[in-house]
Amino acid sequence: MAYNRRDFLVTSASSLAVATTGLVGAPWIRRAHAAEFTYKVGTDLPASHPLNVRIQEAASAIKKETDGRMEIRVFPNNQLGGDPDMFAQLRAGALEFFTLSGANALSALVPKTAISGVGFAFKDYGQVFGALDGELGAHLRGLITKAGLVVQDKVWDNGFRQITSSTKPIASPTDLQGMKIRVPPGRLWISLFRALSAAPTSISFNEVYSSLQTKVVEGQENALAVVDTAKLYEVQKYCSLTSHMWDGFWFLGNRAAWEKLPANIRDIVSKNLNASALRQRQDVAQLNASLQKTLEGKGLKFNTPDLAPFREKLRTSGFYAEQKKFFGEEEWALLEKVTGKLA
Ligand code: X2X
């Protein structure tokens, strides 16, 4: 954010007046009064990630458009706990908003939201948002709503996930054999990496850096924007561009907290969050396309494996057949309508 000299002078003059004199009621000074509704949003990513930057952008617009009645405070970087903790807080009403991947802890409550993370399902962003802004997304949001939560329409982008490791590049499925790899908490990730013959362990994101550093695990998988903002390159040597799954965050709300908001405030909140989500998708796509160079500069060695043998391994291991059975005919059909036949 760029402040010019004039903004700075005005701000300091007002704070000085408020701090040192009884001028609080002075008409030229905007009083810092408490908002009527002060809600928290928790996220698992570092403050500099576009997820947080764009939520903050929406929060500022919401405050302005509601004349200060609604304030959303952003708590990034797992400040409020790991994903399963924040999810429990959201459900209990201790946290009003939370961004969570459908394949992550959300799938413990609504198992079918993980379908967006099926291995090698979406070929590109056109397919991703075609599905999630379309029928599949509407269906999944219906399931989330039925489970008692509130969810905003537009999903936020995490990105296509890539594998990093401290031990070796992944050039073919055999390189994954027995590899100790961290995955987020969620059934789908375990199924996917077991099908690829790796040895996956569920670890919340707040413990990823240290478990890589202490070599509890050799590797992990995440989009480049996360590898960069969470500085995972400091504790990893190789990055293999597998794009093995797409991942994104639903903007979830506690229902009781949401229903306390007057309808006009709810409209302002949703409108701004959904608009910022669309801009956030652009930011992440651009970052993920340009970060390889930056990360090479930080010492990470990249390789681009042929993906056909990975897909083949998933097919022959029965992964797709198993997932189709798990998610159900209806959901699988909605997915394949966009991706084409997977199983
Ligand atoms: O835990 C992860 O790896 C992260 C940050 O990508 C998710 O939230 C799924």
Side-chain angles (χ1 to χ4, degrees), residues 73-162:
R73 294 205 176 134
V74 189
F75 292 84
N77 211 21
N78 293 110
Q79 279 172 23
L80 303 178
D83 283 321
D85 298 327
M86 286 194 280
F87 192 45
Q89 292 165 29
L90 177 85
R91 294 181 64 195
L95 181 57
E96 292 85 6
F97 296 121
F98 176 37
T99 53
L100 184 58
S101 151
N104 196 315
L106 178 56
S107 69
L109 178 70
V110 193
K112 291 183 179 187
T113 56
I115 196 169
S116 55
V118 165
F120 301 105
F122 300 120
K123 274 142 214 81
D124 52 38
Y125 276 122
Q127 289 196 352
V128 167
F129 297 120
L132 293 173
D133 290 339
E135 280 179 88
L136 180 64
H139 180 78
L140 297 177
R141 290 192 299 279
L143 297 178
I144 296 170
T145 307
K146 234 184 243 156
L149 296 167
V150 170
V151 57
Q152 302 297 324
D153 281 349
K154 297 295 177 194
V155 73
W156 298 60
D157 191 23
N158 189 355
F160 284 91
R161 299 177 76 97
Q162 322 296 351

Coordinates of all heavy atoms in Angstrom, one line a residue, residues 73-162:
R73 N -11.2 -9.0 10.7 CA -9.8 -9.1 11.0 C -9.2 -10.3 10.5 O -9.7 -11.4 10.8 CB -9.6 -9.0 12.5 CG -10.1 -7.7 13.1 CD -9.3 -7.4 14.4 NE -9.7 -6.0 14.9 CZ -10.1 -5.8 16.1 NH1 -10.0 -6.7 17.0 NH2 -10.4 -4.5 16.4
V74 N -8.1 -10.2 9.8 CA -7.4 -11.4 9.2 C -6.3 -11.9 10.1 O -5.5 -11.2 10.5 CB -6.8 -11.0 7.8 CG1 -6.4 -12.2 7.0 CG2 -7.8 -10.2 6.9
F75 N -6.4 -13.2 10.4 CA -5.4 -13.9 11.2 C -4.7 -14.9 10.3 O -5.2 -16.1 10.2 CB -6.0 -14.5 12.4 CG -6.5 -13.5 13.4 CD1 -7.7 -12.9 13.3 CD2 -5.6 -13.1 14.5 CE1 -8.2 -12.0 14.2 CE2 -6.1 -12.2 15.4 CZ -7.3 -11.6 15.3
P76 N -3.6 -14.6 9.6 CA -3.0 -15.5 8.6 C -2.1 -16.5 9.4 O -2.0 -16.4 10.6 CB -2.2 -14.5 7.8 CG -1.8 -13.4 8.6 CD -2.9 -13.3 9.6
N77 N -1.4 -17.3 8.5 CA -0.3 -18.1 9.0 C -0.5 -19.0 10.2 O 0.4 -19.1 11.1 CB 0.9 -17.0 9.3 CG 2.2 -17.6 9.1 OD1 2.4 -18.6 8.3 ND2 3.2 -17.0 9.7
N78 N -1.7 -19.5 10.3 CA -2.0 -20.5 11.4 C -1.9 -19.8 12.8 O -1.6 -20.5 13.8 CB -1.1 -21.7 11.3 CG -1.4 -22.6 10.1 OD1 -0.6 -22.7 9.2 ND2 -2.5 -23.2 10.1
Q79 N -2.0 -18.5 12.8 CA -1.9 -17.8 14.1 C -3.0 -18.4 15.1 O -2.8 -18.4 16.3 CB -2.2 -16.3 14.0 CG -1.0 -15.6 13.5 CD -1.3 -14.1 13.2 OE1 -2.3 -13.6 13.7 NE2 -0.5 -13.5 12.3
L80 N -4.1 -18.8 14.6 CA -5.2 -19.3 15.4 C -5.1 -20.9 15.6 O -6.0 -21.4 16.2 CB -6.5 -18.9 14.9 CG -6.7 -17.4 14.7 CD1 -8.1 -17.1 14.2 CD2 -6.5 -16.6 16.1
G81 N -4.1 -21.5 15.0 CA -4.0 -23.0 15.1 C -3.8 -23.6 13.8 O -4.0 -22.9 12.8
G82 N -3.6 -24.9 13.8 CA -3.6 -25.7 12.5 C -5.0 -25.8 11.9 O -6.0 -25.4 12.6
D83 N -5.1 -26.3 10.7 CA -6.4 -26.4 10.1 C -7.4 -27.1 10.8 O -8.5 -26.6 11.0 CB -6.2 -27.0 8.7 CG -5.6 -26.0 7.7 OD1 -6.0 -24.8 7.8 OD2 -4.8 -26.3 6.8
P84 N -7.1 -28.3 11.4 CA -8.2 -29.0 12.2 C -8.6 -28.2 13.4 O -9.8 -28.2 13.7 CB -7.5 -30.3 12.6 CG -6.4 -30.6 11.6 CD -5.9 -29.2 11.2
D85 N -7.7 -27.5 14.0 CA -8.1 -26.6 15.2 C -9.0 -25.5 14.7 O -10.0 -25.2 15.3 CB -6.8 -26.0 15.8 CG -5.8 -27.0 16.3 OD1 -6.3 -28.0 16.8 OD2 -4.6 -26.8 16.3
M86 N -8.5 -24.8 13.7 CA -9.4 -23.6 13.2 C -10.7 -24.1 12.7 O -11.7 -23.4 13.0 CB -8.7 -22.9 12.1 CG -7.5 -22.0 12.6 SD -6.9 -20.9 11.3 CE -5.9 -21.9 10.3
F87 N -10.8 -25.3 12.1 CA -12.1 -25.8 11.7 C -13.0 -26.1 12.9 O -14.2 -25.8 12.8 CB -11.8 -27.1 10.8 CG -13.1 -27.6 10.1 CD1 -13.9 -26.7 9.4 CD2 -13.4 -28.9 10.1 CE1 -15.0 -27.1 8.7 CE2 -14.5 -29.3 9.4 CZ -15.3 -28.4 8.7
A88 N -12.4 -26.7 13.9 CA -13.2 -26.9 15.2 C -13.7 -25.6 15.7 O -14.8 -25.5 16.2 CB -12.3 -27.7 16.2
Q89 N -12.8 -24.6 15.7 CA -13.2 -23.2 16.3 C -14.4 -22.6 15.4 O -15.3 -22.0 15.9 CB -12.0 -22.3 16.2 CG -10.9 -22.6 17.2 CD -9.6 -21.9 16.9 OE1 -9.7 -20.8 16.4 NE2 -8.5 -22.5 17.2
L90 N -14.3 -22.8 14.1 CA -15.3 -22.3 13.2 C -16.6 -23.0 13.6 O -17.7 -22.3 13.7 CB -14.9 -22.6 11.8 CG -16.0 -22.2 10.8 CD1 -15.8 -20.7 10.4 CD2 -16.0 -23.0 9.5
R91 N -16.6 -24.3 13.7 CA -17.9 -25.0 14.0 C -18.4 -24.7 15.3 O -19.7 -24.6 15.5 CB -17.6 -26.5 13.8 CG -17.3 -26.9 12.4 CD -17.0 -28.4 12.2 NE -18.3 -29.1 12.5 CZ -18.3 -30.4 12.8 NH1 -17.2 -31.1 12.7 NH2 -19.4 -31.1 13.0
A92 N -17.6 -24.3 16.3 CA -18.0 -24.0 17.6 C -18.4 -22.5 17.7 O -19.0 -22.1 18.7 CB -16.9 -24.3 18.6
G93 N -18.1 -21.7 16.7 CA -18.5 -20.3 16.8 C -17.4 -19.4 17.4 O -17.6 -18.2 17.5
A94 N -16.2 -20.0 17.7 CA -15.1 -19.2 18.3 C -14.5 -18.4 17.2 O -13.8 -17.4 17.4 CB -14.1 -20.1 19.0
L95 N -14.6 -18.9 16.0 CA -14.0 -18.3 14.8 C -15.2 -18.1 13.8 O -16.0 -19.1 13.5 CB -12.9 -19.2 14.2 CG -12.2 -18.8 12.9 CD1 -11.5 -17.4 13.2 CD2 -11.1 -19.8 12.6
E96 N -15.4 -16.9 13.2 CA -16.5 -16.6 12.4 C -16.3 -17.1 10.9 O -17.2 -17.5 10.3 CB -16.9 -15.2 12.4 CG -17.4 -14.7 13.8 CD -16.3 -14.3 14.8 OE1 -15.2 -14.3 14.4 OE2 -16.7 -14.0 15.9
F97 N -15.1 -16.9 10.4 CA -14.7 -17.2 9.1 C -13.4 -18.0 9.0 O -12.5 -17.8 9.8 CB -14.6 -16.0 8.2 CG -15.8 -15.1 8.0 CD1 -15.8 -13.8 8.4 CD2 -17.0 -15.6 7.4 CE1 -16.9 -13.0 8.3 CE2 -18.1 -14.8 7.3 CZ -18.1 -13.5 7.7
F98 N -13.3 -18.9 8.0 CA -12.1 -19.7 7.9 C -12.0 -20.1 6.4 O -13.0 -20.6 5.8 CB -12.3 -20.9 8.8 CG -11.1 -21.9 8.7 CD1 -9.8 -21.6 8.5 CD2 -11.4 -23.3 8.9 CE1 -8.8 -22.5 8.4 CE2 -10.4 -24.2 8.8 CZ -9.1 -23.9 8.6
T99 N -10.8 -20.1 5.8 CA -10.6 -20.5 4.5 C -10.0 -21.9 4.5 O -9.0 -22.1 5.2 CB -9.7 -19.6 3.7 OG1 -8.5 -19.4 4.4 CG2 -10.4 -18.3 3.4
L100 N -10.7 -22.9 3.9 CA -10.2 -24.3 4.0 C -10.4 -25.0 2.7 O -11.4 -24.9 2.0 CB -11.0 -25.0 5.1 CG -10.7 -26.4 5.5 CD1 -9.2 -26.5 5.9 CD2 -11.6 -26.9 6.6
S101 N -9.4 -25.8 2.4 CA -9.4 -26.6 1.2 C -10.4 -27.8 1.3 O -10.5 -28.4 2.4 CB -8.0 -27.2 0.9 OG -8.1 -28.5 0.3
G102 N -11.1 -28.0 0.2 CA -12.1 -29.1 0.2 C -11.5 -30.5 0.4 O -12.2 -31.4 0.9
A103 N -10.2 -30.6 0.1 CA -9.6 -31.9 0.3 C -9.0 -32.0 1.7 O -8.6 -33.1 2.2 CB -8.5 -32.1 -0.7
N104 N -8.8 -30.9 2.4 CA -8.2 -30.9 3.7 C -9.3 -31.2 4.8 O -10.2 -31.9 4.5 CB -7.6 -29.4 3.9 CG -6.6 -29.3 5.0 OD1 -6.8 -29.8 6.1 ND2 -5.5 -28.7 4.7
A105 N -9.1 -30.6 6.0 CA -10.0 -31.0 7.1 C -11.5 -30.9 6.9 O -12.3 -31.5 7.5 CB -9.6 -30.1 8.3
L106 N -11.9 -30.0 5.9 CA -13.3 -29.9 5.6 C -13.9 -31.3 5.2 O -15.0 -31.6 5.5 CB -13.5 -28.9 4.4 CG -14.9 -28.7 3.9 CD1 -15.9 -28.3 5.0 CD2 -14.9 -27.7 2.8
S107 N -13.0 -32.1 4.6 CA -13.5 -33.4 4.1 C -13.8 -34.4 5.2 O -14.4 -35.5 5.0 CB -12.5 -34.1 3.1 OG -11.3 -34.4 3.7
A108 N -13.3 -34.0 6.5 CA -13.7 -34.9 7.6 C -15.2 -34.7 8.0 O -15.8 -35.6 8.5 CB -12.8 -34.5 8.8
L109 N -15.7 -33.5 7.6 CA -17.1 -33.3 7.9 C -18.0 -33.5 6.6 O -19.1 -34.1 6.7 CB -17.3 -31.8 8.4 CG -18.8 -31.4 8.6 CD1 -19.3 -32.1 9.8 CD2 -18.9 -29.9 8.8
V110 N -17.4 -33.1 5.5 CA -18.2 -33.2 4.2 C -17.2 -33.9 3.2 O -16.5 -33.3 2.5 CB -18.5 -31.8 3.6 CG1 -19.5 -32.0 2.5 CG2 -19.1 -30.9 4.7
P111 N -17.2 -35.3 3.3 CA -16.2 -36.1 2.6 C -16.1 -35.8 1.1 O -15.0 -35.8 0.5 CB -16.6 -37.5 2.8 CG -17.4 -37.5 4.1 CD -18.1 -36.1 4.1
K112 N -17.3 -35.4 0.5 CA -17.3 -35.2 -1.0 C -16.6 -34.0 -1.5 O -16.3 -33.8 -2.7 CB -18.7 -35.3 -1.5 CG -19.2 -36.8 -1.3 CD -20.6 -37.0 -1.8 CE -21.0 -38.5 -1.6 NZ -22.2 -38.9 -2.3
T113 N -16.4 -33.0 -0.6 CA -15.7 -31.8 -1.0 C -14.3 -32.1 -1.6 O -13.7 -31.3 -2.3 CB -15.6 -30.7 0.0 OG1 -14.9 -31.2 1.2 CG2 -16.9 -30.2 0.4
A114 N -13.7 -33.2 -1.2 CA -12.4 -33.6 -1.6 C -12.3 -33.9 -3.1 O -11.2 -34.0 -3.7 CB -11.8 -34.7 -0.8
I115 N -13.5 -34.1 -3.8 CA -13.5 -34.5 -5.2 C -12.7 -33.5 -6.1 O -12.1 -34.0 -7.1 CB -14.9 -34.7 -5.7 CG1 -14.9 -35.5 -7.0 CG2 -15.6 -33.4 -5.9 CD1 -16.2 -36.0 -7.4
S116 N -12.6 -32.3 -5.7 CA -11.9 -31.3 -6.5 C -10.4 -31.6 -6.5 O -9.6 -31.0 -7.4 CB -12.1 -29.9 -6.0 OG -11.8 -29.8 -4.7
G117 N -9.9 -32.4 -5.6 CA -8.5 -32.7 -5.6 C -8.1 -34.1 -6.2 O -6.9 -34.5 -6.0
V118 N -9.0 -34.7 -6.8 CA -8.6 -36.0 -7.4 C -7.4 -35.9 -8.4 O -7.3 -34.9 -9.1 CB -9.9 -36.6 -8.2 CG1 -9.4 -37.7 -9.2 CG2 -10.9 -37.1 -7.2
G119 N -6.5 -36.8 -8.3 CA -5.2 -36.7 -9.0 C -5.4 -36.5 -10.5 O -6.1 -37.3 -11.1
F120 N -4.7 -35.6 -11.0 CA -4.6 -35.3 -12.5 C -6.0 -35.2 -13.1 O -6.2 -35.5 -14.3 CB -3.9 -36.4 -13.2 CG -2.4 -36.6 -12.7 CD1 -2.1 -37.6 -11.9 CD2 -1.5 -35.7 -13.1 CE1 -0.8 -37.8 -11.4 CE2 -0.2 -35.8 -12.6 CZ 0.2 -36.9 -11.8
A121 N -7.0 -34.6 -12.3 CA -8.3 -34.5 -12.9 C -8.4 -33.3 -13.8 O -8.8 -33.4 -15.0 CB -9.4 -34.4 -11.8
F122 N -8.1 -32.1 -13.3 CA -8.2 -30.9 -14.1 C -7.0 -30.7 -14.9 O -5.9 -30.7 -14.4 CB -8.5 -29.7 -13.2 CG -9.8 -29.8 -12.4 CD1 -9.7 -29.8 -11.0 CD2 -11.0 -29.9 -13.0 CE1 -10.9 -29.9 -10.2 CE2 -12.2 -30.0 -12.3 CZ -12.1 -30.0 -10.9
K123 N -7.2 -30.4 -16.2 CA -6.0 -30.1 -17.1 C -5.5 -28.7 -17.0 O -4.3 -28.4 -17.2 CB -6.3 -30.5 -18.5 CG -6.1 -32.0 -18.8 CD -7.1 -32.6 -19.7 CE -7.4 -34.0 -19.4 NZ -8.4 -34.2 -18.2
D124 N -6.4 -27.8 -16.7 CA -6.0 -26.4 -16.6 C -7.0 -25.6 -15.8 O -8.0 -26.1 -15.3 CB -5.9 -25.8 -18.0 CG -7.2 -26.0 -18.9 OD1 -8.3 -26.0 -18.3 OD2 -7.1 -26.3 -20.1
Y125 N -6.8 -24.3 -15.6 CA -7.7 -23.4 -14.8 C -9.0 -23.3 -15.5 O -10.0 -23.1 -14.7 CB -7.0 -22.1 -14.6 CG -6.1 -22.0 -13.4 CD1 -4.8 -21.6 -13.6 CD2 -6.5 -22.4 -12.2 CE1 -3.9 -21.6 -12.5 CE2 -5.7 -22.3 -11.1 CZ -4.4 -21.9 -11.3 OH -3.5 -21.9 -10.2
G126 N -9.1 -23.4 -16.8 CA -10.4 -23.3 -17.4 C -11.3 -24.4 -16.9 O -12.5 -24.2 -16.6
Q127 N -10.7 -25.6 -16.8 CA -11.5 -26.7 -16.3 C -11.8 -26.6 -14.8 O -12.9 -26.9 -14.3 CB -10.8 -28.0 -16.5 CG -10.7 -28.5 -18.0 CD -10.3 -29.9 -18.1 OE1 -9.9 -30.6 -17.2 NE2 -10.4 -30.4 -19.4
V128 N -10.8 -26.1 -14.0 CA -11.0 -26.0 -12.6 C -12.2 -25.1 -12.3 O -13.1 -25.5 -11.6 CB -9.7 -25.3 -11.9 CG1 -10.0 -24.9 -10.5 CG2 -8.6 -26.3 -11.9
F129 N -12.1 -23.9 -12.8 CA -13.2 -22.9 -12.5 C -14.5 -23.2 -13.3 O -15.6 -22.8 -12.8 CB -12.7 -21.5 -12.6 CG -11.5 -21.2 -11.6 CD1 -10.3 -20.9 -12.0 CD2 -11.7 -21.5 -10.2 CE1 -9.2 -20.7 -11.1 CE2 -10.7 -21.3 -9.3 CZ -9.4 -20.9 -9.8
G130 N -14.3 -23.8 -14.4 CA -15.5 -24.3 -15.1 C -16.3 -25.2 -14.2 O -17.6 -25.1 -14.1
A131 N -15.6 -26.1 -13.5 CA -16.3 -27.0 -12.6 C -16.8 -26.3 -11.3 O -17.9 -26.5 -10.9 CB -15.4 -28.2 -12.3
L132 N -15.9 -25.6 -10.7 CA -16.2 -25.1 -9.4 C -17.1 -23.8 -9.3 O -17.7 -23.5 -8.4 CB -14.9 -24.9 -8.5 CG -14.3 -26.3 -8.3 CD1 -12.9 -26.1 -7.6 CD2 -15.2 -27.2 -7.4
D133 N -17.1 -23.1 -10.5 CA -18.1 -22.0 -10.6 C -19.3 -22.5 -11.2 O -20.3 -21.8 -11.4 CB -17.5 -20.8 -11.5 CG -16.4 -20.1 -10.7 OD1 -16.3 -20.1 -9.5 OD2 -15.6 -19.4 -11.4
G134 N -19.3 -23.8 -11.6 CA -20.4 -24.4 -12.3 C -21.2 -25.4 -11.4 O -21.2 -25.2 -10.2
E135 N -21.6 -26.5 -12.1 CA -22.5 -27.4 -11.4 C -21.8 -28.2 -10.3 O -22.4 -28.4 -9.2 CB -23.0 -28.5 -12.4 CG -24.1 -28.0 -13.3 CD -24.5 -29.2 -14.2 OE1 -25.3 -30.0 -13.9 OE2 -23.9 -29.2 -15.4
L136 N -20.6 -28.6 -10.5 CA -19.9 -29.3 -9.4 C -19.8 -28.5 -8.1 O -20.1 -28.9 -7.0 CB -18.5 -29.8 -9.8 CG -17.8 -30.6 -8.8 CD1 -18.5 -31.9 -8.4 CD2 -16.3 -31.0 -9.2
G137 N -19.3 -27.2 -8.3 CA -19.2 -26.3 -7.2 C -20.5 -26.1 -6.5 O -20.6 -26.1 -5.3
A138 N -21.6 -25.8 -7.3 CA -22.9 -25.6 -6.7 C -23.3 -26.8 -5.8 O -23.8 -26.7 -4.7 CB -23.9 -25.3 -7.7
H139 N -23.0 -28.0 -6.4 CA -23.4 -29.2 -5.6 C -22.6 -29.3 -4.3 O -23.1 -29.6 -3.3 CB -23.1 -30.4 -6.5 CG -23.4 -31.7 -5.9 ND1 -24.7 -32.2 -5.8 CD2 -22.6 -32.7 -5.3 CE1 -24.7 -33.4 -5.2 NE2 -23.4 -33.7 -4.9
L140 N -21.3 -29.0 -4.4 CA -20.4 -29.1 -3.2 C -20.8 -28.1 -2.2 O -20.9 -28.4 -1.0 CB -19.0 -29.0 -3.6 CG -18.4 -30.1 -4.5 CD1 -16.9 -29.8 -4.8 CD2 -18.5 -31.5 -3.9
R141 N -21.2 -26.9 -2.6 CA -21.6 -25.8 -1.7 C -22.9 -26.2 -1.0 O -23.1 -25.9 0.2 CB -21.7 -24.5 -2.4 CG -20.3 -23.9 -2.7 CD -20.4 -22.4 -3.2 NE -21.2 -22.2 -4.3 CZ -20.8 -22.4 -5.6 NH1 -19.6 -22.9 -5.9 NH2 -21.6 -22.2 -6.6
G142 N -23.8 -26.9 -1.8 CA -25.0 -27.4 -1.2 C -24.7 -28.4 -0.1 O -25.4 -28.4 1.0
L143 N -23.7 -29.3 -0.3 CA -23.4 -30.2 0.8 C -22.8 -29.6 2.0 O -23.1 -29.9 3.2 CB -22.4 -31.3 0.2 CG -22.9 -32.2 -0.9 CD1 -21.7 -33.1 -1.4 CD2 -24.1 -33.0 -0.5
I144 N -22.0 -28.5 1.8 CA -21.4 -27.8 2.9 C -22.5 -27.1 3.7 O -22.5 -27.1 4.9 CB -20.3 -26.7 2.4 CG1 -19.1 -27.5 1.7 CG2 -19.8 -25.8 3.5 CD1 -18.2 -26.6 0.9
T145 N -23.4 -26.5 3.0 CA -24.5 -25.8 3.6 C -25.4 -26.8 4.4 O -25.7 -26.5 5.6 CB -25.4 -25.1 2.6 OG1 -24.6 -24.3 1.7 CG2 -26.5 -24.2 3.2
K146 N -25.6 -27.9 3.9 CA -26.4 -29.0 4.6 C -25.7 -29.4 5.9 O -26.3 -29.8 6.8 CB -26.6 -30.2 3.6 CG -28.0 -30.6 3.5 CD -28.2 -31.8 2.6 CE -28.9 -31.5 1.3 NZ -28.6 -32.5 0.3
A147 N -24.4 -29.3 5.9 CA -23.6 -29.8 7.0 C -23.6 -28.7 8.1 O -23.0 -28.8 9.2 CB -22.2 -30.1 6.6
G148 N -24.3 -27.5 7.8 CA -24.5 -26.5 8.9 C -23.5 -25.3 8.8 O -23.5 -24.5 9.7
L149 N -22.8 -25.3 7.7 CA -21.8 -24.1 7.6 C -22.3 -23.2 6.5 O -23.2 -23.5 5.7 CB -20.4 -24.6 7.2 CG -19.8 -25.5 8.3 CD1 -18.5 -26.2 7.7 CD2 -19.4 -24.6 9.5
V150 N -21.7 -22.0 6.4 CA -22.0 -21.1 5.4 C -20.8 -21.1 4.5 O -19.7 -21.2 4.9 CB -22.2 -19.6 6.0 CG1 -22.3 -18.6 4.9 CG2 -23.5 -19.6 6.8
V151 N -21.0 -21.0 3.2 CA -19.9 -20.9 2.2 C -20.1 -19.9 1.1 O -21.3 -19.8 0.6 CB -19.6 -22.3 1.6 CG1 -20.8 -22.9 0.9 CG2 -18.4 -22.3 0.7
Q152 N -19.1 -19.1 0.9 CA -19.3 -18.1 -0.2 C -19.2 -18.8 -1.6 O -18.6 -19.8 -1.7 CB -18.2 -17.0 0.0 CG -18.2 -16.3 1.3 CD -19.5 -15.5 1.5 OE1 -20.1 -14.9 0.6 NE2 -20.0 -15.5 2.8
D153 N -19.7 -18.1 -2.6 CA -19.8 -18.8 -3.9 C -18.4 -19.1 -4.5 O -18.2 -20.1 -5.1 CB -20.6 -17.9 -4.9 CG -22.1 -18.0 -4.6 OD1 -22.5 -19.0 -3.9 OD2 -22.8 -17.2 -5.2
K154 N -17.5 -18.1 -4.5 CA -16.3 -18.2 -5.2 C -15.2 -18.9 -4.4 O -14.8 -18.4 -3.3 CB -15.8 -16.9 -5.7 CG -16.8 -16.2 -6.7 CD -17.0 -17.0 -8.0 CE -18.0 -16.3 -8.8 NZ -18.5 -17.2 -9.9
V155 N -14.6 -19.9 -5.0 CA -13.5 -20.6 -4.4 C -12.2 -19.9 -4.6 O -12.1 -19.2 -5.7 CB -13.5 -22.1 -4.9 CG1 -12.9 -22.2 -6.3 CG2 -12.7 -23.0 -4.0
W156 N -11.3 -19.8 -3.6 CA -10.1 -19.1 -3.8 C -9.0 -20.1 -4.2 O -9.1 -21.3 -3.9 CB -9.7 -18.5 -2.4 CG -10.7 -17.4 -1.9 CD1 -12.0 -17.7 -1.7 CD2 -10.4 -16.1 -1.7 NE1 -12.6 -16.5 -1.3 CE2 -11.7 -15.5 -1.3 CE3 -9.3 -15.2 -1.8 CZ2 -11.8 -14.1 -1.0 CZ3 -9.4 -13.9 -1.5 CH2 -10.7 -13.3 -1.1
D157 N -8.0 -19.6 -4.9 CA -7.0 -20.5 -5.5 C -5.8 -20.8 -4.6 O -5.3 -19.9 -4.0 CB -6.5 -19.9 -6.8 CG -5.7 -20.9 -7.7 OD1 -5.8 -22.1 -7.5 OD2 -4.9 -20.5 -8.5
N158 N -5.5 -22.1 -4.5 CA -4.2 -22.4 -3.9 C -3.3 -22.8 -5.0 O -2.1 -22.3 -5.0 CB -4.4 -23.6 -2.9 CG -3.2 -23.9 -2.1 OD1 -2.2 -23.3 -2.2 ND2 -3.3 -24.9 -1.2
G159 N -3.7 -23.5 -6.0 CA -3.0 -23.8 -7.2 C -2.8 -25.3 -7.5 O -3.3 -26.1 -6.8
F160 N -2.1 -25.5 -8.6 CA -1.7 -26.9 -8.9 C -0.5 -27.3 -8.0 O 0.5 -26.5 -7.9 CB -1.4 -27.1 -10.4 CG -2.6 -27.1 -11.2 CD1 -3.1 -25.9 -11.7 CD2 -3.3 -28.3 -11.5 CE1 -4.3 -25.9 -12.5 CE2 -4.4 -28.3 -12.3 CZ -4.9 -27.1 -12.8
R161 N -0.5 -28.4 -7.4 CA 0.5 -28.8 -6.4 C 1.7 -29.5 -7.1 O 1.5 -30.3 -8.0 CB -0.2 -29.6 -5.3 CG -1.3 -28.9 -4.6 CD -2.0 -29.7 -3.5 NE -1.2 -29.9 -2.3 CZ -1.4 -29.1 -1.2 NH1 -2.2 -28.1 -1.2 NH2 -0.7 -29.4 -0.2
Q162 N 2.9 -29.1 -6.6 CA 4.2 -29.7 -7.1 C 4.9 -30.3 -5.9 O 4.7 -30.0 -4.8 CB 5.0 -28.5 -7.7 CG 4.3 -27.5 -8.4 CD 3.6 -28.0 -9.7 OE1 3.8 -29.1 -10.1 NE2 2.7 -27.1 -10.3

